[in-house]
Amino acid sequence: MISSNRLKSAVRKRRSTRTYKNCSLSADDKVKLQSYIDEIKTMTGPFSTTFDTLQLIEQSTGKAEKIGTYGFIKHAPAFIVGATKNTKPHLIDYGYLFEMLILELTENNFGTVWLGGTFKRPRFDALIKDDNYFIPAITPVGYKHARHSMREYAIRKIASADSRKDFGDLFFEYPAMVSLKRTDEPRLAKALDMVRGGPSASNKQPWRIYHKKNTLHVYLKKDPKYNAMLKYDIQYLDIGIALCHLEIGLKTHDFSFKRFDEAPNIELDNHEYILSYKIKRLKH
């Protein structure tokens, strides 16, 4: 069973893998992967939606034809592909649940990487059962190569993949609208650092959280130009990932929480309200 403590460890060590060992998955590992997929398929996200499709697709490592993207994914023996509806709740839940799966794979030493707007979609069209569904993101899965390719290093550098915004640029006190200080809420700060470490498209880190007493209000700081080339809002996946990390952080730093949908009176340019959390410290 997927546990928050295991996922906490995975949040800290997760790293995108684009270069894999040139070998197929073992029979035992295929069974493991299918068990993780089957468990995630039984779960719902914060907005109570599930995957329409979620499955493992193998490819021959010996063939020149690759599913890949830009040619940047090398020797991946398989991909995990899901489908959902193109709505805000479905996309947020997709990000939440798919990240949970990726973290479980990370903890079990499989390599993965989020692929959203950059993969060849026609290869997967046959998986979609209904015209109302589509595939917003996939991940390769396999055994991490001991060495990263030069191209992989270049991609990480271009995307600033290893950098993160300052804590005070992401988390704020409401209604004062000043940066939240780690020293004010040290335990909560540790939970929020789990959000800060999350992946996002082009590493834009669009999550913003506003804290008031025992409440957290989660917002998406949207980039109006970012989604112009796509047919869906990829930043809803980002915020789903952030919610996944937030809940792992709260659970593993001794907070209970209850989700609720009640936007505070916060008006900021390009900010979209997502969800709120009533939190309670379990230990003192």
PDB file of all heavy atoms in Angstrom, residues 239-257:
ATOM      1  N   ILE A 239      -0.299  22.243 -10.566  1.00  0.00           N
ATOM      2  CA  ILE A 239      -0.929  22.506  -9.273  1.00  0.00           C
ATOM      3  C   ILE A 239      -1.412  21.204  -8.640  1.00  0.00           C
ATOM      4  O   ILE A 239      -1.438  21.068  -7.418  1.00  0.00           O
ATOM      5  CB  ILE A 239      -2.069  23.547  -9.414  1.00  0.00           C
ATOM      6  CG1 ILE A 239      -2.266  24.310  -8.090  1.00  0.00           C
ATOM      7  CG2 ILE A 239      -3.364  22.927  -9.873  1.00  0.00           C
ATOM      8  CD1 ILE A 239      -1.139  25.238  -7.739  1.00  0.00           C
ATOM      9  N   GLY A 240      -1.772  20.201  -9.460  1.00  0.00           N
ATOM     10  CA  GLY A 240      -2.093  18.888  -8.915  1.00  0.00           C
ATOM     11  C   GLY A 240      -0.884  18.260  -8.242  1.00  0.00           C
ATOM     12  O   GLY A 240      -0.996  17.657  -7.164  1.00  0.00           O
ATOM     13  N   ILE A 241       0.282  18.408  -8.860  1.00  0.00           N
ATOM     14  CA  ILE A 241       1.524  17.935  -8.254  1.00  0.00           C
ATOM     15  C   ILE A 241       1.757  18.648  -6.928  1.00  0.00           C
ATOM     16  O   ILE A 241       2.119  18.032  -5.920  1.00  0.00           O
ATOM     17  CB  ILE A 241       2.704  18.173  -9.210  1.00  0.00           C
ATOM     18  CG1 ILE A 241       2.580  17.300 -10.457  1.00  0.00           C
ATOM     19  CG2 ILE A 241       4.034  17.905  -8.510  1.00  0.00           C
ATOM     20  CD1 ILE A 241       3.563  17.646 -11.559  1.00  0.00           C
ATOM     21  N   ALA A 242       1.536  19.958  -6.910  1.00  0.00           N
ATOM     22  CA  ALA A 242       1.729  20.731  -5.677  1.00  0.00           C
ATOM     23  C   ALA A 242       0.804  20.253  -4.560  1.00  0.00           C
ATOM     24  O   ALA A 242       1.217  20.140  -3.397  1.00  0.00           O
ATOM     25  CB  ALA A 242       1.501  22.219  -5.954  1.00  0.00           C
ATOM     26  N   LEU A 243      -0.459  19.960  -4.884  1.00  0.00           N
ATOM     27  CA  LEU A 243      -1.398  19.468  -3.867  1.00  0.00           C
ATOM     28  C   LEU A 243      -0.955  18.111  -3.331  1.00  0.00           C
ATOM     29  O   LEU A 243      -1.075  17.837  -2.135  1.00  0.00           O
ATOM     30  CB  LEU A 243      -2.806  19.378  -4.451  1.00  0.00           C
ATOM     31  CG  LEU A 243      -3.472  20.685  -4.871  1.00  0.00           C
ATOM     32  CD1 LEU A 243      -4.891  20.417  -5.376  1.00  0.00           C
ATOM     33  CD2 LEU A 243      -3.489  21.707  -3.746  1.00  0.00           C
ATOM     34  N   CYS A 244      -0.453  17.271  -4.215  1.00  0.00           N
ATOM     35  CA  CYS A 244       0.066  15.971  -3.792  1.00  0.00           C
ATOM     36  C   CYS A 244       1.198  16.160  -2.784  1.00  0.00           C
ATOM     37  O   CYS A 244       1.210  15.548  -1.707  1.00  0.00           O
ATOM     38  CB  CYS A 244       0.554  15.181  -5.012  1.00  0.00           C
ATOM     39  SG  CYS A 244       1.340  13.603  -4.631  1.00  0.00           S
ATOM     40  N   HIS A 245       2.143  17.030  -3.098  1.00  0.00           N
ATOM     41  CA  HIS A 245       3.283  17.273  -2.214  1.00  0.00           C
ATOM     42  C   HIS A 245       2.844  17.940  -0.911  1.00  0.00           C
ATOM     43  O   HIS A 245       3.391  17.640   0.158  1.00  0.00           O
ATOM     44  CB  HIS A 245       4.316  18.142  -2.926  1.00  0.00           C
ATOM     45  CG  HIS A 245       5.142  17.391  -3.923  1.00  0.00           C
ATOM     46  ND1 HIS A 245       6.503  17.513  -4.014  1.00  0.00           N
ATOM     47  CD2 HIS A 245       4.797  16.495  -4.882  1.00  0.00           C
ATOM     48  CE1 HIS A 245       6.971  16.729  -4.978  1.00  0.00           C
ATOM     49  NE2 HIS A 245       5.940  16.113  -5.525  1.00  0.00           N
ATOM     50  N   LEU A 246       1.872  18.850  -1.013  1.00  0.00           N
ATOM     51  CA  LEU A 246       1.383  19.519   0.192  1.00  0.00           C
ATOM     52  C   LEU A 246       0.780  18.507   1.159  1.00  0.00           C
ATOM     53  O   LEU A 246       1.074  18.534   2.367  1.00  0.00           O
ATOM     54  CB  LEU A 246       0.334  20.569  -0.184  1.00  0.00           C
ATOM     55  CG  LEU A 246      -0.367  21.269   0.984  1.00  0.00           C
ATOM     56  CD1 LEU A 246       0.632  22.013   1.866  1.00  0.00           C
ATOM     57  CD2 LEU A 246      -1.445  22.220   0.468  1.00  0.00           C
ATOM     58  N   GLU A 247      -0.035  17.618   0.659  1.00  0.00           N
ATOM     59  CA  GLU A 247      -0.684  16.650   1.546  1.00  0.00           C
ATOM     60  C   GLU A 247       0.323  15.662   2.135  1.00  0.00           C
ATOM     61  O   GLU A 247       0.207  15.271   3.296  1.00  0.00           O
ATOM     62  CB  GLU A 247      -1.806  15.936   0.790  1.00  0.00           C
ATOM     63  CG  GLU A 247      -2.935  16.889   0.429  1.00  0.00           C
ATOM     64  CD  GLU A 247      -4.128  16.217  -0.227  1.00  0.00           C
ATOM     65  OE1 GLU A 247      -4.187  14.967  -0.233  1.00  0.00           O
ATOM     66  OE2 GLU A 247      -5.008  16.947  -0.736  1.00  0.00           O
ATOM     67  N   ILE A 248       1.307  15.265   1.350  1.00  0.00           N
ATOM     68  CA  ILE A 248       2.375  14.412   1.897  1.00  0.00           C
ATOM     69  C   ILE A 248       3.114  15.168   2.994  1.00  0.00           C
ATOM     70  O   ILE A 248       3.403  14.626   4.073  1.00  0.00           O
ATOM     71  CB  ILE A 248       3.354  13.992   0.783  1.00  0.00           C
ATOM     72  CG1 ILE A 248       2.667  13.060  -0.222  1.00  0.00           C
ATOM     73  CG2 ILE A 248       4.583  13.297   1.376  1.00  0.00           C
ATOM     74  CD1 ILE A 248       3.472  12.838  -1.480  1.00  0.00           C
ATOM     75  N   GLY A 249       3.422  16.444   2.738  1.00  0.00           N
ATOM     76  CA  GLY A 249       4.122  17.250   3.724  1.00  0.00           C
ATOM     77  C   GLY A 249       3.339  17.413   5.014  1.00  0.00           C
ATOM     78  O   GLY A 249       3.888  17.294   6.115  1.00  0.00           O
ATOM     79  N   LEU A 250       2.046  17.678   4.906  1.00  0.00           N
ATOM     80  CA  LEU A 250       1.216  17.841   6.105  1.00  0.00           C
ATOM     81  C   LEU A 250       1.131  16.538   6.893  1.00  0.00           C
ATOM     82  O   LEU A 250       1.308  16.517   8.126  1.00  0.00           O
ATOM     83  CB  LEU A 250      -0.183  18.320   5.710  1.00  0.00           C
ATOM     84  CG  LEU A 250      -0.281  19.750   5.157  1.00  0.00           C
ATOM     85  CD1 LEU A 250      -1.677  20.027   4.628  1.00  0.00           C
ATOM     86  CD2 LEU A 250       0.111  20.780   6.212  1.00  0.00           C
ATOM     87  N   LYS A 251       0.880  15.433   6.202  1.00  0.00           N
ATOM     88  CA  LYS A 251       0.735  14.143   6.883  1.00  0.00           C
ATOM     89  C   LYS A 251       2.017  13.724   7.596  1.00  0.00           C
ATOM     90  O   LYS A 251       1.964  13.152   8.689  1.00  0.00           O
ATOM     91  CB  LYS A 251       0.336  13.062   5.877  1.00  0.00           C
ATOM     92  CG  LYS A 251      -1.089  13.173   5.363  1.00  0.00           C
ATOM     93  CD  LYS A 251      -1.355  12.123   4.293  1.00  0.00           C
ATOM     94  CE  LYS A 251      -2.754  12.236   3.712  1.00  0.00           C
ATOM     95  NZ  LYS A 251      -2.983  11.251   2.617  1.00  0.00           N
ATOM     96  N   THR A 252       3.141  13.982   6.983  1.00  0.00           N
ATOM     97  CA  THR A 252       4.411  13.506   7.548  1.00  0.00           C
ATOM     98  C   THR A 252       5.054  14.499   8.501  1.00  0.00           C
ATOM     99  O   THR A 252       6.109  14.216   9.067  1.00  0.00           O
ATOM    100  CB  THR A 252       5.401  13.149   6.423  1.00  0.00           C
ATOM    101  OG1 THR A 252       5.601  14.287   5.581  1.00  0.00           O
ATOM    102  CG2 THR A 252       4.874  11.981   5.593  1.00  0.00           C
ATOM    103  N   HIS A 253       4.437  15.655   8.693  1.00  0.00           N
ATOM    104  CA  HIS A 253       4.923  16.615   9.692  1.00  0.00           C
ATOM    105  C   HIS A 253       3.851  16.872  10.749  1.00  0.00           C
ATOM    106  O   HIS A 253       3.768  17.950  11.334  1.00  0.00           O
ATOM    107  CB  HIS A 253       5.362  17.913   9.016  1.00  0.00           C
ATOM    108  CG  HIS A 253       6.640  17.750   8.239  1.00  0.00           C
ATOM    109  ND1 HIS A 253       6.660  17.421   6.904  1.00  0.00           N
ATOM    110  CD2 HIS A 253       7.948  17.822   8.632  1.00  0.00           C
ATOM    111  CE1 HIS A 253       7.923  17.324   6.499  1.00  0.00           C
ATOM    112  NE2 HIS A 253       8.711  17.549   7.518  1.00  0.00           N
ATOM    113  N   ASP A 254       3.031  15.852  10.957  1.00  0.00           N
ATOM    114  CA  ASP A 254       2.097  15.812  12.087  1.00  0.00           C
ATOM    115  C   ASP A 254       0.993  16.860  12.033  1.00  0.00           C
ATOM    116  O   ASP A 254       0.667  17.514  13.031  1.00  0.00           O
ATOM    117  CB  ASP A 254       2.864  15.921  13.414  1.00  0.00           C
ATOM    118  CG  ASP A 254       3.867  14.792  13.593  1.00  0.00           C
ATOM    119  OD1 ASP A 254       3.505  13.632  13.312  1.00  0.00           O
ATOM    120  OD2 ASP A 254       5.009  15.064  13.984  1.00  0.00           O
ATOM    121  N   PHE A 255       0.409  17.001  10.836  1.00  0.00           N
ATOM    122  CA  PHE A 255      -0.793  17.813  10.682  1.00  0.00           C
ATOM    123  C   PHE A 255      -1.916  16.916  10.158  1.00  0.00           C
ATOM    124  O   PHE A 255      -1.690  16.042   9.307  1.00  0.00           O
ATOM    125  CB  PHE A 255      -0.580  18.938   9.662  1.00  0.00           C
ATOM    126  CG  PHE A 255       0.295  20.060  10.123  1.00  0.00           C
ATOM    127  CD1 PHE A 255       1.670  20.025   9.894  1.00  0.00           C
ATOM    128  CD2 PHE A 255      -0.246  21.153  10.782  1.00  0.00           C
ATOM    129  CE1 PHE A 255       2.485  21.060  10.305  1.00  0.00           C
ATOM    130  CE2 PHE A 255       0.564  22.207  11.194  1.00  0.00           C
ATOM    131  CZ  PHE A 255       1.942  22.155  10.955  1.00  0.00           C
ATOM    132  N   SER A 256      -3.113  17.156  10.650  1.00  0.00           N
ATOM    133  CA  SER A 256      -4.290  16.628   9.979  1.00  0.00           C
ATOM    134  C   SER A 256      -4.850  17.764   9.128  1.00  0.00           C
ATOM    135  O   SER A 256      -4.532  18.938   9.341  1.00  0.00           O
ATOM    136  CB  SER A 256      -5.339  16.151  10.981  1.00  0.00           C
ATOM    137  OG  SER A 256      -5.811  17.240  11.762  1.00  0.00           O
ATOM    138  N   PHE A 257      -5.668  17.430   8.144  1.00  0.00           N
ATOM    139  CA  PHE A 257      -6.205  18.490   7.300  1.00  0.00           C
ATOM    140  C   PHE A 257      -7.554  18.073   6.745  1.00  0.00           C
ATOM    141  O   PHE A 257      -7.899  16.893   6.657  1.00  0.00           O
ATOM    142  CB  PHE A 257      -5.245  18.822   6.147  1.00  0.00           C
ATOM    143  CG  PHE A 257      -4.989  17.686   5.193  1.00  0.00           C
ATOM    144  CD1 PHE A 257      -5.863  17.409   4.146  1.00  0.00           C
ATOM    145  CD2 PHE A 257      -3.869  16.885   5.345  1.00  0.00           C
ATOM    146  CE1 PHE A 257      -5.628  16.363   3.276  1.00  0.00           C
ATOM    147  CE2 PHE A 257      -3.619  15.831   4.475  1.00  0.00           C
ATOM    148  CZ  PHE A 257      -4.500  15.575   3.444  1.00  0.00           C
TER     149      PHE A 257
END
